[in-house]
Amino acid sequence: MNARTLLSKLASGAADARLSALYGAQTGKAVARCRELVGRFTALYGERDGLHIFSAPGRTEIGGNHTDHNHGHAIAAAVNLDTLAVAAQSPLPIVRIQSEGHPETMVTLRALEPNDSERNTANALLRGVCAYFSHAGYPVGGFDAVTTSAVSVGSGLSSSAAFSVLAGVTLDHLYGAGQLPPMELAVAGRYAENRYFGKPSGMLDQTVSAFGGILAMDFGAAALSGGVPEVRRLDCDFAALGHKLCITGPIGSHANLQGEYAAVTGEMRLVAERFGKERLREVGEEAFQEALPALHRDAALPGRAILRAMHFFSENRRVLEQIAALESGNFERFLSLVRRSGRSSFMYLQNVCHGEEEGLAVALGLSEHLLDGRGATRVHGGGFAGTIQAFVPPDLLETYTRGMERVFGAGACQMVEVRTTGATMVL
């Protein structure tokens, strides 16, 4: 449809049922966002037939801090904050995306090799997704798009995964049958992030953005299936269990932190290599504990690597216990495991502070003070900077939000809800 038809559909309420399924109480705001995007698209790229609206959600990690890249277990959920795009085919072999507040991202489909000068940029993610589609034999063509995102950079909700998965679902619908499985969209996003963007991450973020809902993931299965984790949906309603899920941040800057993230992966693998393995999951906790005296005496092995391995093994077990607690309805047990995850991340994984930056530690300390033994709090996602996560009883929500924002600024503490739908064509 063209811009006039799309705007008419939005104004008449004909799209409300579809939007309500994605945005619930925020449907009115979603309509306004879509209308604004259509106007931006027309102003930037002109009148065009074949306009589509696409969405990819951000994600929140529930359990399994830095376990995915060593083939561990994890729990994560898509959230009701997304990156939204209006897009249409282009006759040119070029993909152009203008993201609100950022320069236009442009990639020619005739040059899809990695470009070192684009590392850590949206251009790298876009080029990588297009390259994956091309290498995999999926239809690829030029398109123009404008986006707006509620998954802000540095929010810890993985704006990069939402962007790359959004690029994939857009290509699939504009040039394919719109039926690529979510896992293939996730693999394309991970390929772009690893090979082009330069971040040696696992694929937790992309998987959750592509699938939606709350997912229990086993990345150990990836070793036998070309890097694809085993995924199982969990049926859980945090609000019905008496808690709101809050994210506070961004705190500190993610700039220049690629080395910190890479060191986590690298140091865990240093330990695995002592056993002739690539990943700690292949080593096993029993073998690690048995070899601990020798590892401790190994002068070539950093002590922090041993601590990070300790975190991996305990966190990996903890995720299975969290899944069992959620499935049995034992939410208090689940919350205690969230608190233990936060403690392990702080003490052993050591992804809360870096250099003289201790903002996340302050946020965690304040969060524990405000919760006063109730709920749970932990570092969220990659760590070092970004956000913390808290499960907050409703009667404490106002006090908790006000207390966190008094220190970290208005709007810093945000309540999020689980979104059951992953990356999708909206209209």
Side-chain angles (χ1 to χ4, degrees), residues 240-264:
L241 292 166
H243 285 74
K244 302 294 186 180
L245 181 56
C246 294
I247 304 294
T248 299
I251 300 165
S253 171
H254 280 277
N256 303 316
L257 285 177
Q258 294 299 332
E260 298 276 11
Y261 298 133
V264 173

Side-chain angles (χ1 to χ4, degrees), residues 67-320:
T67 54
D68 59 331
H69 50 67
N70 265 260
H71 289 172
H73 293 278
I75 311 171
V79 297
N80 61 334
L81 303 174
D82 69 341
T83 299
L84 193 64
V86 167
Q89 288 187 0
S90 167
L92 302 174
I94 294 172
V95 176
R96 298 182 295 183
I97 299 181
Q98 201 287 308
S99 298
E100 186 177 16
H102 299 278
E104 183 182 64
T105 298
M106 184 169 68
V107 165
T108 172
L109 300 177
R110 292 172 177 159
L112 292 179
E113 294 305 310
N115 184 338
D116 286 343
S117 68
E118 291 181 343
R119 293 267 174 165
N120 303 316
T121 68
N123 259 67
L125 292 172
L126 180 58
R127 193 181 304 278
V129 170
C130 291
Y132 181 85
F133 269 64
S134 179
H135 298 335
Y138 300 130
V140 179
F143 68 85
D144 296 324
V146 294
T147 76
T148 184
S149 186
V151 191
S152 58
V153 175
S155 67
L157 299 171
S158 199
S159 57
S160 61
F163 180 86
S164 59
V165 171
L166 183 69
V169 78
T170 301
L171 274 174
D172 181 37
H173 280 273
L174 292 183
Y175 287 98
Q179 295 181 348
L180 273 186
M183 189 58 74
E184 195 66 0
L185 296 175
V187 170
R190 192 270 305 272
Y191 177 87
E193 187 130 11
N194 291 175
R195 292 281 302 277
Y196 286 73
F197 190 80
K199 184 175 179 180
S201 64
M203 59 183 293
L204 180 149
D205 300 349
Q206 296 85 358
T207 301
V208 181
S209 183
F211 276 84
I214 305 175
L215 304 180
M217 291 166 283
D218 180 1
F219 291 89
L224 303 174
S225 55
V228 176
E230 181 181 286
V231 174
R232 181 162 60 90
R233 291 186 180 273
L234 298 177
D235 183 14
C236 178
D237 185 342
F238 296 131
L241 292 166
H243 285 74
K244 302 294 186 180
L245 181 56
C246 294
I247 304 294
T248 299
I251 300 165
S253 171
H254 280 277
N256 303 316
L257 285 177
Q258 294 299 332
E260 298 276 11
Y261 298 133
V264 173
T265 306
E267 290 177 12
M268 286 185 181
R269 290 187 181 177
L270 278 178
V271 176
E273 287 170 3
R274 296 303 193 272
F275 297 84
K277 307 293 185 182
E278 290 188 22
R279 306 290 199 285
L280 287 175
R281 178 71 177 274
E282 301 168 57
V283 174
E285 187 171 11
E286 185 176 339
F288 169 75
Q289 292 292 345
E290 182 69 25
L292 195 53
L295 294 173
H296 181 61
R297 291 192 297 266
D298 186 344
L301 187 64
R304 189 175 65 174
I306 296 174
L307 293 174
R308 284 176 163 169
M310 287 179 170
H311 165 80
F312 171 83
F313 289 117
S314 66
E315 186 79 344
N316 208 38
R317 279 188 287 104
R318 199 157 29 243
V319 170
L320 297 178

Side-chain angles (χ1 to χ4, degrees), residues 376-388:
T377 188
R378 67 194 279 272
V379 64
H380 182 248
F384 303 109
T387 55
I388 68 163

